[in-house]
């Protein structure tokens, strides 16, 4: 059994009814990333991928913030210049790739301020919810850096190059309503209700058809770059796979028998 000290562990990992909650846990630094948090998050995502009883995932933050990007206390400007492509290649790029490759639905519950690479983390997940108190700060330009962690890629696709440029060049801080208007987040909740709603969503998705969910996420990933002709072929290929699944059989049987479908039964050996 892994013993986690909630006072010192940079990540809290809790398994629930078909889903898991990963909590970024460096509240005094607004859950900014240091190498320990990167390593622990990578391990928690890997376990979420491997554990068949985890069928959806919530990522949230402890305390007042969600994630303030890179921990700036770790950078001592007096120690000379440092090749920042190294932390990107070591930590940030693998994190975004790991999130995109993890084909289980990832719900991000943005409980407070999010800045820098934290924005990339939000945009790499599948469904984003936020607290009405959340703020979205670009932040990179304020310290003379370029948006990273996929933020340039995500934002051009999400809001178009005109608004992406304006946000990045002004280092704007968006309110929760603006973030919703821009499509960063799907729904906004009162702070004390955010996690409750994220858990209802995670549980509902976990008890739904995993194959349908996974193929949907994958199809939408391909849609970013495919032509309509390629996408139609892909949909047919994925529908063939889904159509042969036990989940499809169960879904249709349940409909005809006027009962709720049963897609998920906890595996007892886990
Ligand atoms: O460098 C590389 O490895 C390359 C990769 C880069 C990726 C990046 O993410 S670059 C961007 C790094 N992040 C930032 O520049 C954000 C810096 N923080 C802020 O701009 C503001 O703190 C926020 C807009 C996020 C929130 O503002 P506010 O007013 O709500 O809170 P605050 O008072 O500024 O911060 C509260 C505490 O959190 C404070 O500590 P204290 O004084 O109470 O002891 C502050 O120092 C700490 N904190 C906030 N952000 C960071 C942080 N500590 C370390 N690192 C942070 N990024």
């Amino acid at each position: 059994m892994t013993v986690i000290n909630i006072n010192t562990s940079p990540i809290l990992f809790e398994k629930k009814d078909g889903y898991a909650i990963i909590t970024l846990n460096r509240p005094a630094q607004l859950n900014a990333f240091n190498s320990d948090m990167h390593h622990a998050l990578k391990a928690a995502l890997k376990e979420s991928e491997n554990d068949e009883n985890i069928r959806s995932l919530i990522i949230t933050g402890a305390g007042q913030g969600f994630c303030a990007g890179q921990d700036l206390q770790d950078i001592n400007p007096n120690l000379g210049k440092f090749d920042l492509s190294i932390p990107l290649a070591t930590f940030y790029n693998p994190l975004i790739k790991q999130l995109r490759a993890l084909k289980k639905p990832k719900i991000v519950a943005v409980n407070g301020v999010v800045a820098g690479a934290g924005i990339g983390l939000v945009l790499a997940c599948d469904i984003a919810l936020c607290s009405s108190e959340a703020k979205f700060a670009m932040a990179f330009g304020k310290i003379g850096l370029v948006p990273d962690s996929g933020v340039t890629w995500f934002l051009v696709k999400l809001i178009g190059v005109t608004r992406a440029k304006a946000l990045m060049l002004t280092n704007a801080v968006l309110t929760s309503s603006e973030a919703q208007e821009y499509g960063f987040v799907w729904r906004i909740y009162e702070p004390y209700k955010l996690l409750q709603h994220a858990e209802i969503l995670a549980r509902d998705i976990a008890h739904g058809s995993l194959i349908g969910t996974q193929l949907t996420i994958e199809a939408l990933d391909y849609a970013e770059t495919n032509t309509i002709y390629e996408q139609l072929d892909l949909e047919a290929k994925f529908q063939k796979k889904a159509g042969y699944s036990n989940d499809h059989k169960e879904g249709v049987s349940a409909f005809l028998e006027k009962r709720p479908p049963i897609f998920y039964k906890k595996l007892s050996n886990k």
Side-chain angles (χ1 to χ4, degrees), residues 68-72 75 84 116 138-146 148 171:
Q70 168 62 34
D71 188 328
L72 299 180
I75 299 167
L84 288 185
M138 282 297 130
F140 297 96
K142 274 195 161 178
I143 53 167
L145 291 185
V146 181
D148 59 30
N171 295 302

Side-chain angles (χ1 to χ4, degrees), residues 49-253:
E49 183 169 28
N50 292 340
D51 187 335
E52 287 179 47
N53 281 320
I54 298 177
R55 294 160 59 94
S56 71
L57 195 59
I58 297 171
I59 302 178
T60 192
Q64 298 301 307
F66 172 71
C67 175
Q70 168 62 34
D71 188 328
L72 299 180
Q73 307 278 2
D74 270 9
I75 299 167
N76 183 345
N78 300 319
L79 289 181
K81 293 178 179 163
F82 182 66
D83 178 354
L84 288 185
S85 71
I86 295 172
L88 293 194
T90 311
F91 293 120
Y92 290 99
N93 292 356
L95 168 63
I96 300 302
K97 289 178 192 171
Q98 187 180 17
L99 284 166
R100 297 283 286 186
L102 205 174
K103 297 286 183 268
K104 292 184 181 176
K106 299 160 292 293
I107 297 159
V108 62
V110 184
N111 54 300
V113 67
V114 51
I119 304 245
L121 169 57
V122 171
L123 297 176
C125 290
D126 301 305
I127 301 178
L129 311 178
C130 79
S131 141
S132 51
E133 303 289 306
K135 288 184 290 181
F136 294 71
M138 282 297 130
F140 297 96
K142 274 195 161 178
I143 53 167
L145 291 185
V146 181
D148 59 30
S149 305
V151 171
T152 53
W153 188 87
F154 288 123
L155 280 194
V156 164
K157 289 194 155 42
L158 188 65
I159 59 177
V161 73
T162 307
R163 289 194 295 176
K165 264 189 198 159
L167 275 188
M168 289 171 192
L169 300 185
T170 61
N171 295 302
V173 179
L174 300 180
T175 62
S176 53
S177 326
E178 288 169 328
Q180 187 182 40
E181 185 193 325
Y182 279 35
F184 281 50
V185 298
W186 185 43
R187 285 189 176 153
I188 304 173
Y189 295 102
E190 293 295 309
Y192 69 98
K193 287 190 178 160
L194 174 67
L195 194 57
Q196 183 192 335
H197 281 282
E199 289 202 51
I200 291 168
L201 186 59
R203 191 191 172 282
D204 281 355
I205 291 177
H207 284 254
S209 160
L210 189 59
I211 186 163
T213 310
Q214 289 183 316
L215 289 173
T216 302
I217 294 173
E218 208 173 335
L220 290 171
D221 285 349
Y222 277 106
E224 306 269 10
T225 49
N226 269 354
T227 64
I228 178 69
Y229 304 105
E230 290 164 334
Q231 195 66 9
L232 287 169
D233 288 345
L234 183 91
E235 286 173 359
K237 185 174 143 197
F238 282 8
Q239 203 65 296
K240 177 176 174 179
K241 199 167 172 183
Y244 280 134
S245 71
N246 289 335
D247 280 3
H248 176 56
K249 189 175 164 204
E250 166 62 9
V252 176
S253 303

